[in-house]
Amino acid sequence: MVTFKKAGAMLTATALSVGLLAPIASASTVGNDRMESLPIQVAQTNTTVTKEDLMKRFRELFPNEFKNVTEKDFQTGTGYSRPTDTTVSYELYFSKRIDNQYVHGSFIFVGETLELEQFYYQPVNTKDILFPAKYSKEEAQKVADKFMERFNKGEGYELVPNAHDFYSPSILTQPVEYSFMYEKKNSGIPISDQTINIRVLGDGTVSSFYRTTPPKNNFTYDDPSKKQNESSIADRLQDALKAQLSYSIVPDYTTGDHKVKLVYEPNSQVISGVHAQTGDWLTMDGLSSTLSAKSLTPIVSAPLAAKQPNMTAEQARAMAEKLLATDIKGVQLEIGAVDETTTETGKEVFNIQYMYNYRNGGTGTVLTIDKATGEFIHYSDIKSNLEVEEDENDTEVKLSQKQALDKAIAHIKDWVPSSAHKYAIPVNEGLHESYNDSYYFTFPRIVNGLTVAGDNISINVDAKTGDLVSLYVSDYGELEWPAATDIISEQEATKMLKDELKLKLQYVNHPKVGNEQHYSLAYQPVFKEGSSAAIDAKTGEWLDVYGMASSDKPKIEHPKAAEELNYLIHAGILEVNDKFNPDAPITKEEALKVLLKSVTYMYYSSRFDEFEMADESFTDITPDDAIYAFVTRALKMGMLDASTKTFNPKTALTNQELAKWVIGTLKLNKPAQLSDIYELNYSDAALVDKKVRGHVALAYAMGLLEAENNQLKPTSEVTYAQLAQVTIRLAHKMNEYQIENY
């Protein structure tokens, strides 16, 4: 019988989809997908939870919500667990058309008691949801607090003030959402990995709930009465803290490129903090009484030849057949399409879809190979989960960490040889993964002797045999690496870190301290509020978690457009300095950027050559221009047309030009072209260009632009303040007309 280790089951279509997308999606994100995140479908025969059970629990938790959906609107997903936890989760979801819009809801319940782990709800978009929202953040917090009362009966959750919102909305056509984090406490001390996140829409609707609390609750905790004095620990951290120069890769979603910054961060040895009872340093390898800096050593000193240069699809299939072959009884390998495609960074790859079929189903994912080198980009040995069930108590580890590391290095030399010289041997010991009995290692990228944050080779090897379990190589394409010149000194950066250093006492579940069920008490360093622990080495500014400068943004005063301007500034849509004049005219180049950043995601996808497919363009705009991506997107949306031949990006935008842009965005160019049917009862109507008469008439009639003293002022220059107001109105109209330009 074919079964999954620790959870007899098969991967769901959801898991397959994750596998299909992971190699490409990961190219544009920092970090890597880990195999244990994939859901595993539990066979229907292994569960007795019914739709009626889930609906009953749903109505217990939401007695007064979701009145616009009935039981027949709901569907259930197959139960699933994850490799790191065999607790079964169950999904209940609905999708329904209401007021000509689809509303969606998804609810995940876990365990025998069907505790709510998470839910997501997308209601009908209304004006109250959009900026300026009906509910302020303070009012939304009251909603979240009240909702939390359903899940905080004696569990000790408390709101985390000023928690960073990783998912703040970025375009005005999408709902305003407020995010609130509640952390669980034991003896009044936060538990680092036990939180509840709640999001509230601008109209006061709770839109999502996510609980990170582990399902097991038989935890043990260090006695807080035995902790050492904070001041003595702070002194030790101050003495040990040192700024460390490295590269950081920051995605630019307007171009699809990645930019590299030089940043200073705290030395990695201190970032995990100090054990509050023993005073030992917390390290990746456990507790240590001393700190030692390990030098970076490349995997190999000189480049190795590529494994199979200029690989063909036939060669890729042959490699896959050999690699993926299995002799497990009752399991048959099926290799599907060999898809030749391009990653987000422009790298040509083969995505090889494959399945392991067996009597009751199958499981599959994708192997990704670099076409130019014949080397892995992403590989996971999912057949290791198909072996006949083994003794659950057999946790013997046959290889030492050093032996496992040697195996990992050998696999890198074998499967990604041409990249081996770019990466360093890990400075920390490998992490033993108990769920599949493997060692996990991360090999950091090194450039000019500096580590590159987020760029690595991650690899799992079987702890008993040393066989390759998974391998992932970051892919950022060709990057420009700035020289470490004209930067603030290490001493200056160290002083900045020390000046902002504070300690946070919290419980941490460290894999190498105590056991899996124990939480240790630790003092951990935190730095400037609202920022990560990174400093731009060129400017000396603190950076946020996205790699952007987190210096305080100015608050603009204006009699008519203060609220709109400040929203655009704090959302990162409008960039200003201390000399900013909101009543100054705005150029067409800057206006186009503000509008597009406000109403569309300026994401780039090289697979579709999105910014190279415009049917028309301007003679003064080329692919090398910084504004090219914006102009091309605007042409495709209908905001612009190239009938004027030139764009003239540096000239000021006029009212009638802005009217043409917004009406084009609303897909109303055709009715606007019927210019003779419109009356313009304004004193200066004769000044309107006949070519845009219909656009002007519609824009003013719809309230997108406003006349003053019965004057349109069609040739007057648009100011920043005026554009901010028009941008908000345009977003509302796009929502009303259900126009999406993502």
Side-chain angles (χ1 to χ4, degrees), residues 273-311:
V274 176
H275 194 285
Q277 288 187 341
T278 67
D280 290 331
W281 296 98
L282 279 169
T283 73
M284 286 288 291
D285 306 324
L287 297 178
S288 175
S289 59
T290 60
L291 290 178
S292 59
K294 297 181 181 179
S295 59
L296 292 172
T297 304
I299 298 172
V300 294
S301 58
L304 302 177
K307 187 172 184 67
Q308 192 163 348
N310 303 314
M311 176 175 272

mmCIF file of all heavy atoms in Angstrom, residues 273-311:
data_model
loop_
_atom_site.group_PDB
_atom_site.id
_atom_site.type_symbol
_atom_site.label_atom_id
_atom_site.label_comp_id
_atom_site.label_asym_id
_atom_site.label_seq_id
_atom_site.Cartn_x
_atom_site.Cartn_y
_atom_site.Cartn_z
ATOM 1 N N GLY A 273 19.586 37.368 20.052
ATOM 2 C CA GLY A 273 19.464 37.802 21.431
ATOM 3 C C GLY A 273 20.167 36.912 22.432
ATOM 4 O O GLY A 273 21.042 36.108 22.090
ATOM 5 N N VAL A 274 19.731 37.049 23.688
ATOM 6 C CA VAL A 274 20.391 36.389 24.817
ATOM 7 C C VAL A 274 19.346 35.623 25.627
ATOM 8 O O VAL A 274 18.235 36.118 25.874
ATOM 9 C CB VAL A 274 21.093 37.429 25.720
ATOM 10 C CG1 VAL A 274 21.705 36.756 26.941
ATOM 11 C CG2 VAL A 274 22.150 38.187 24.930
ATOM 12 N N HIS A 275 19.702 34.394 26.030
ATOM 13 C CA HIS A 275 18.815 33.607 26.891
ATOM 14 C C HIS A 275 18.678 34.332 28.222
ATOM 15 O O HIS A 275 19.673 34.636 28.890
ATOM 16 C CB HIS A 275 19.395 32.211 27.096
ATOM 17 C CG HIS A 275 18.421 31.240 27.670
ATOM 18 N ND1 HIS A 275 18.047 31.254 28.996
ATOM 19 C CD2 HIS A 275 17.724 30.209 27.092
ATOM 20 C CE1 HIS A 275 17.175 30.284 29.218
ATOM 21 N NE2 HIS A 275 16.956 29.632 28.078
ATOM 22 N N ALA A 276 17.446 34.630 28.611
ATOM 23 C CA ALA A 276 17.213 35.490 29.772
ATOM 24 C C ALA A 276 17.611 34.844 31.092
ATOM 25 O O ALA A 276 17.879 35.544 32.068
ATOM 26 C CB ALA A 276 15.745 35.899 29.821
ATOM 27 N N GLN A 277 17.655 33.518 31.162
ATOM 28 C CA GLN A 277 18.011 32.849 32.412
ATOM 29 C C GLN A 277 19.505 32.565 32.506
ATOM 30 O O GLN A 277 20.137 32.857 33.516
ATOM 31 C CB GLN A 277 17.220 31.546 32.547
ATOM 32 C CG GLN A 277 15.741 31.752 32.847
ATOM 33 C CD GLN A 277 15.027 30.445 33.141
ATOM 34 O OE1 GLN A 277 15.504 29.364 32.799
ATOM 35 N NE2 GLN A 277 13.868 30.526 33.774
ATOM 36 N N THR A 278 20.071 32.002 31.450
ATOM 37 C CA THR A 278 21.480 31.598 31.516
ATOM 38 C C THR A 278 22.439 32.715 31.143
ATOM 39 O O THR A 278 23.621 32.672 31.507
ATOM 40 C CB THR A 278 21.732 30.415 30.566
ATOM 41 O OG1 THR A 278 21.583 30.853 29.200
ATOM 42 C CG2 THR A 278 20.759 29.278 30.838
ATOM 43 N N GLY A 279 21.938 33.706 30.364
ATOM 44 C CA GLY A 279 22.818 34.762 29.877
ATOM 45 C C GLY A 279 23.627 34.350 28.671
ATOM 46 O O GLY A 279 24.463 35.121 28.183
ATOM 47 N N ASP A 280 23.402 33.126 28.163
ATOM 48 C CA ASP A 280 24.117 32.675 26.967
ATOM 49 C C ASP A 280 23.498 33.299 25.719
ATOM 50 O O ASP A 280 22.316 33.648 25.685
ATOM 51 C CB ASP A 280 24.037 31.148 26.841
ATOM 52 C CG ASP A 280 24.857 30.436 27.907
ATOM 53 O OD1 ASP A 280 25.865 31.016 28.355
ATOM 54 O OD2 ASP A 280 24.477 29.313 28.298
ATOM 55 N N TRP A 281 24.336 33.388 24.694
ATOM 56 C CA TRP A 281 23.853 33.900 23.418
ATOM 57 C C TRP A 281 22.992 32.844 22.726
ATOM 58 O O TRP A 281 23.313 31.655 22.738
ATOM 59 C CB TRP A 281 25.025 34.264 22.503
ATOM 60 C CG TRP A 281 25.870 35.379 23.024
ATOM 61 C CD1 TRP A 281 27.049 35.280 23.705
ATOM 62 C CD2 TRP A 281 25.595 36.773 22.911
ATOM 63 N NE1 TRP A 281 27.534 36.518 24.030
ATOM 64 C CE2 TRP A 281 26.655 37.469 23.552
ATOM 65 C CE3 TRP A 281 24.564 37.511 22.346
ATOM 66 C CZ2 TRP A 281 26.704 38.851 23.625
ATOM 67 C CZ3 TRP A 281 24.620 38.898 22.411
ATOM 68 C CH2 TRP A 281 25.676 39.551 23.050
ATOM 69 N N LEU A 282 21.889 33.306 22.127
ATOM 70 C CA LEU A 282 21.076 32.426 21.294
ATOM 71 C C LEU A 282 21.636 32.469 19.878
ATOM 72 O O LEU A 282 21.733 33.543 19.273
ATOM 73 C CB LEU A 282 19.614 32.892 21.275
ATOM 74 C CG LEU A 282 18.734 32.503 22.457
ATOM 75 C CD1 LEU A 282 17.413 33.261 22.397
ATOM 76 C CD2 LEU A 282 18.468 31.009 22.445
ATOM 77 N N THR A 283 22.020 31.326 19.376
ATOM 78 C CA THR A 283 22.547 31.250 18.016
ATOM 79 C C THR A 283 21.761 30.206 17.239
ATOM 80 O O THR A 283 20.971 29.442 17.805
ATOM 81 C CB THR A 283 24.038 30.871 18.015
ATOM 82 O OG1 THR A 283 24.170 29.484 18.362
ATOM 83 C CG2 THR A 283 24.831 31.716 18.995
ATOM 84 N N MET A 284 21.970 30.140 15.946
ATOM 85 C CA MET A 284 21.313 29.128 15.131
ATOM 86 C C MET A 284 21.659 27.726 15.607
ATOM 87 O O MET A 284 20.898 26.777 15.427
ATOM 88 C CB MET A 284 21.724 29.283 13.675
ATOM 89 C CG MET A 284 21.087 30.460 12.963
ATOM 90 S SD MET A 284 19.331 30.204 12.634
ATOM 91 C CE MET A 284 19.417 28.908 11.400
ATOM 92 N N ASP A 285 22.813 27.607 16.242
ATOM 93 C CA ASP A 285 23.281 26.299 16.674
ATOM 94 C C ASP A 285 22.940 25.992 18.129
ATOM 95 O O ASP A 285 23.362 24.970 18.662
ATOM 96 C CB ASP A 285 24.801 26.206 16.473
ATOM 97 C CG ASP A 285 25.213 26.542 15.056
ATOM 98 O OD1 ASP A 285 24.458 26.185 14.139
ATOM 99 O OD2 ASP A 285 26.259 27.178 14.872
ATOM 100 N N GLY A 286 22.186 26.881 18.787
ATOM 101 C CA GLY A 286 21.825 26.666 20.173
ATOM 102 C C GLY A 286 22.398 27.747 21.069
ATOM 103 O O GLY A 286 22.581 28.897 20.646
ATOM 104 N N LEU A 287 22.685 27.410 22.316
ATOM 105 C CA LEU A 287 23.233 28.369 23.266
ATOM 106 C C LEU A 287 24.749 28.380 23.204
ATOM 107 O O LEU A 287 25.386 27.342 23.027
ATOM 108 C CB LEU A 287 22.775 28.028 24.687
ATOM 109 C CG LEU A 287 21.268 28.094 24.963
ATOM 110 C CD1 LEU A 287 20.974 27.691 26.403
ATOM 111 C CD2 LEU A 287 20.732 29.494 24.686
ATOM 112 N N SER A 288 25.327 29.577 23.371
ATOM 113 C CA SER A 288 26.782 29.707 23.364
ATOM 114 C C SER A 288 27.191 30.777 24.365
ATOM 115 O O SER A 288 26.582 31.852 24.416
ATOM 116 C CB SER A 288 27.279 30.083 21.959
ATOM 117 O OG SER A 288 28.676 30.322 21.978
ATOM 118 N N SER A 289 28.218 30.482 25.140
ATOM 119 C CA SER A 289 28.686 31.456 26.130
ATOM 120 C C SER A 289 29.504 32.561 25.491
ATOM 121 O O SER A 289 29.683 33.633 26.067
ATOM 122 C CB SER A 289 29.520 30.742 27.204
ATOM 123 O OG SER A 289 30.632 30.086 26.603
ATOM 124 N N THR A 290 30.003 32.307 24.294
ATOM 125 C CA THR A 290 30.813 33.303 23.592
ATOM 126 C C THR A 290 30.305 33.465 22.162
ATOM 127 O O THR A 290 29.589 32.617 21.631
ATOM 128 C CB THR A 290 32.296 32.883 23.543
ATOM 129 O OG1 THR A 290 32.403 31.624 22.859
ATOM 130 C CG2 THR A 290 32.868 32.764 24.939
ATOM 131 N N LEU A 291 30.694 34.570 21.542
ATOM 132 C CA LEU A 291 30.373 34.821 20.140
ATOM 133 C C LEU A 291 31.632 34.679 19.307
ATOM 134 O O LEU A 291 32.707 35.145 19.691
ATOM 135 C CB LEU A 291 29.803 36.228 19.956
ATOM 136 C CG LEU A 291 28.407 36.492 20.531
ATOM 137 C CD1 LEU A 291 28.019 37.944 20.294
ATOM 138 C CD2 LEU A 291 27.392 35.561 19.894
ATOM 139 N N SER A 292 31.496 34.045 18.166
ATOM 140 C CA SER A 292 32.646 33.909 17.278
ATOM 141 C C SER A 292 32.204 34.207 15.856
ATOM 142 O O SER A 292 31.194 33.686 15.389
ATOM 143 C CB SER A 292 33.222 32.483 17.356
ATOM 144 O OG SER A 292 32.241 31.533 16.985
ATOM 145 N N ALA A 293 32.939 35.066 15.202
ATOM 146 C CA ALA A 293 32.634 35.423 13.815
ATOM 147 C C ALA A 293 33.322 34.434 12.887
ATOM 148 O O ALA A 293 34.520 34.177 13.012
ATOM 149 C CB ALA A 293 33.111 36.842 13.531
ATOM 150 N N LYS A 294 32.537 33.860 11.970
ATOM 151 C CA LYS A 294 33.091 32.910 11.014
ATOM 152 C C LYS A 294 33.290 33.600 9.670
ATOM 153 O O LYS A 294 32.431 34.347 9.209
ATOM 154 C CB LYS A 294 32.162 31.706 10.863
ATOM 155 C CG LYS A 294 31.983 30.900 12.145
ATOM 156 C CD LYS A 294 31.060 29.708 11.928
ATOM 157 C CE LYS A 294 30.870 28.909 13.207
ATOM 158 N NZ LYS A 294 29.953 27.748 13.025
ATOM 159 N N SER A 295 34.428 33.350 9.063
ATOM 160 C CA SER A 295 34.718 33.978 7.773
ATOM 161 C C SER A 295 33.953 33.277 6.661
ATOM 162 O O SER A 295 33.579 32.103 6.769
ATOM 163 C CB SER A 295 36.222 33.913 7.491
ATOM 164 O OG SER A 295 36.660 32.560 7.470
ATOM 165 N N LEU A 296 33.715 34.022 5.579
ATOM 166 C CA LEU A 296 33.019 33.477 4.416
ATOM 167 C C LEU A 296 33.997 32.715 3.530
ATOM 168 O O LEU A 296 35.046 33.244 3.154
ATOM 169 C CB LEU A 296 32.364 34.609 3.619
ATOM 170 C CG LEU A 296 31.200 35.335 4.301
ATOM 171 C CD1 LEU A 296 30.784 36.550 3.486
ATOM 172 C CD2 LEU A 296 30.020 34.390 4.473
ATOM 173 N N THR A 297 33.642 31.490 3.221
ATOM 174 C CA THR A 297 34.476 30.657 2.355
ATOM 175 C C THR A 297 33.646 30.178 1.180
ATOM 176 O O THR A 297 32.622 29.514 1.373
ATOM 177 C CB THR A 297 35.015 29.435 3.118
ATOM 178 O OG1 THR A 297 35.713 29.871 4.282
ATOM 179 C CG2 THR A 297 35.940 28.610 2.227
ATOM 180 N N PRO A 298 34.039 30.513 -0.057
ATOM 181 C CA PRO A 298 33.264 30.050 -1.212
ATOM 182 C C PRO A 298 33.210 28.526 -1.269
ATOM 183 O O PRO A 298 34.122 27.831 -0.807
ATOM 184 C CB PRO A 298 34.038 30.621 -2.408
ATOM 185 C CG PRO A 298 34.847 31.742 -1.847
ATOM 186 C CD PRO A 298 35.192 31.343 -0.450
ATOM 187 N N ILE A 299 32.139 28.000 -1.850
ATOM 188 C CA ILE A 299 32.009 26.552 -2.009
ATOM 189 C C ILE A 299 33.166 26.025 -2.827
ATOM 190 O O ILE A 299 33.774 24.990 -2.504
ATOM 191 C CB ILE A 299 30.665 26.203 -2.680
ATOM 192 C CG1 ILE A 299 29.497 26.663 -1.799
ATOM 193 C CG2 ILE A 299 30.565 24.703 -2.942
ATOM 194 C CD1 ILE A 299 28.140 26.532 -2.452
ATOM 195 N N VAL A 300 33.492 26.721 -3.907
ATOM 196 C CA VAL A 300 34.673 26.406 -4.716
ATOM 197 C C VAL A 300 35.384 27.711 -5.017
ATOM 198 O O VAL A 300 34.759 28.774 -5.077
ATOM 199 C CB VAL A 300 34.305 25.676 -6.034
ATOM 200 C CG1 VAL A 300 33.717 24.302 -5.750
ATOM 201 C CG2 VAL A 300 33.352 26.503 -6.869
ATOM 202 N N SER A 301 36.668 27.648 -5.219
ATOM 203 C CA SER A 301 37.449 28.871 -5.411
ATOM 204 C C SER A 301 37.400 29.392 -6.835
ATOM 205 O O SER A 301 37.634 30.581 -7.076
ATOM 206 C CB SER A 301 38.910 28.619 -5.005
ATOM 207 O OG SER A 301 39.451 27.540 -5.770
ATOM 208 N N ALA A 302 37.107 28.534 -7.796
ATOM 209 C CA ALA A 302 37.077 28.948 -9.202
ATOM 210 C C ALA A 302 35.818 28.400 -9.857
ATOM 211 O O ALA A 302 35.285 27.361 -9.444
ATOM 212 C CB ALA A 302 38.322 28.432 -9.932
ATOM 213 N N PRO A 303 35.308 29.089 -10.887
ATOM 214 C CA PRO A 303 34.078 28.625 -11.554
ATOM 215 C C PRO A 303 34.223 27.210 -12.118
ATOM 216 O O PRO A 303 35.285 26.833 -12.626
ATOM 217 C CB PRO A 303 33.886 29.648 -12.682
ATOM 218 C CG PRO A 303 34.643 30.856 -12.240
ATOM 219 C CD PRO A 303 35.821 30.345 -11.467
ATOM 220 N N LEU A 304 33.149 26.438 -12.000
ATOM 221 C CA LEU A 304 33.097 25.107 -12.592
ATOM 222 C C LEU A 304 32.297 25.162 -13.886
ATOM 223 O O LEU A 304 31.481 26.053 -14.098
ATOM 224 C CB LEU A 304 32.431 24.120 -11.624
ATOM 225 C CG LEU A 304 33.083 23.954 -10.251
ATOM 226 C CD1 LEU A 304 32.257 22.991 -9.392
ATOM 227 C CD2 LEU A 304 34.517 23.441 -10.398
ATOM 228 N N ALA A 305 32.534 24.215 -14.755
ATOM 229 C CA ALA A 305 31.820 24.164 -16.030
ATOM 230 C C ALA A 305 30.347 23.852 -15.792
ATOM 231 O O ALA A 305 29.989 23.157 -14.838
ATOM 232 C CB ALA A 305 32.440 23.103 -16.938
ATOM 233 N N ALA A 306 29.484 24.378 -16.652
ATOM 234 C CA ALA A 306 28.051 24.106 -16.558
ATOM 235 C C ALA A 306 27.791 22.617 -16.734
ATOM 236 O O ALA A 306 28.543 21.914 -17.415
ATOM 237 C CB ALA A 306 27.298 24.903 -17.609
ATOM 238 N N LYS A 307 26.719 22.122 -16.145
ATOM 239 C CA LYS A 307 26.423 20.693 -16.176
ATOM 240 C C LYS A 307 26.123 20.208 -17.585
ATOM 241 O O LYS A 307 26.661 19.206 -18.050
ATOM 242 C CB LYS A 307 25.238 20.380 -15.257
ATOM 243 C CG LYS A 307 24.968 18.880 -15.112
ATOM 244 C CD LYS A 307 23.921 18.599 -14.057
ATOM 245 C CE LYS A 307 23.728 17.093 -13.860
ATOM 246 N NZ LYS A 307 24.913 16.438 -13.280
ATOM 247 N N GLN A 308 25.265 20.915 -18.303
ATOM 248 C CA GLN A 308 24.911 20.519 -19.670
ATOM 249 C C GLN A 308 24.497 21.779 -20.442
ATOM 250 O O GLN A 308 23.316 22.090 -20.549
ATOM 251 C CB GLN A 308 23.778 19.491 -19.686
ATOM 252 C CG GLN A 308 23.590 18.836 -21.045
ATOM 253 C CD GLN A 308 22.774 17.552 -20.939
ATOM 254 O OE1 GLN A 308 22.537 17.028 -19.857
ATOM 255 N NE2 GLN A 308 22.363 17.026 -22.080
ATOM 256 N N PRO A 309 25.475 22.503 -20.999
ATOM 257 C CA PRO A 309 25.176 23.772 -21.673
ATOM 258 C C PRO A 309 24.201 23.590 -22.833
ATOM 259 O O PRO A 309 24.178 22.558 -23.503
ATOM 260 C CB PRO A 309 26.552 24.230 -22.173
ATOM 261 C CG PRO A 309 27.537 23.495 -21.330
ATOM 262 C CD PRO A 309 26.906 22.177 -21.026
ATOM 263 N N ASN A 310 23.371 24.639 -23.042
ATOM 264 C CA ASN A 310 22.427 24.679 -24.162
ATOM 265 C C ASN A 310 21.562 23.420 -24.207
ATOM 266 O O ASN A 310 21.421 22.763 -25.243
ATOM 267 C CB ASN A 310 23.177 24.862 -25.478
ATOM 268 C CG ASN A 310 24.036 26.111 -25.476
ATOM 269 O OD1 ASN A 310 23.574 27.184 -25.066
ATOM 270 N ND2 ASN A 310 25.291 25.982 -25.896
ATOM 271 N N MET A 311 20.972 23.101 -23.092
ATOM 272 C CA MET A 311 20.151 21.895 -22.988
ATOM 273 C C MET A 311 18.928 21.971 -23.903
ATOM 274 O O MET A 311 18.319 23.033 -24.067
ATOM 275 C CB MET A 311 19.713 21.709 -21.532
ATOM 276 C CG MET A 311 18.771 20.542 -21.305
ATOM 277 S SD MET A 311 18.399 20.289 -19.549
ATOM 278 C CE MET A 311 19.766 19.206 -19.094
#
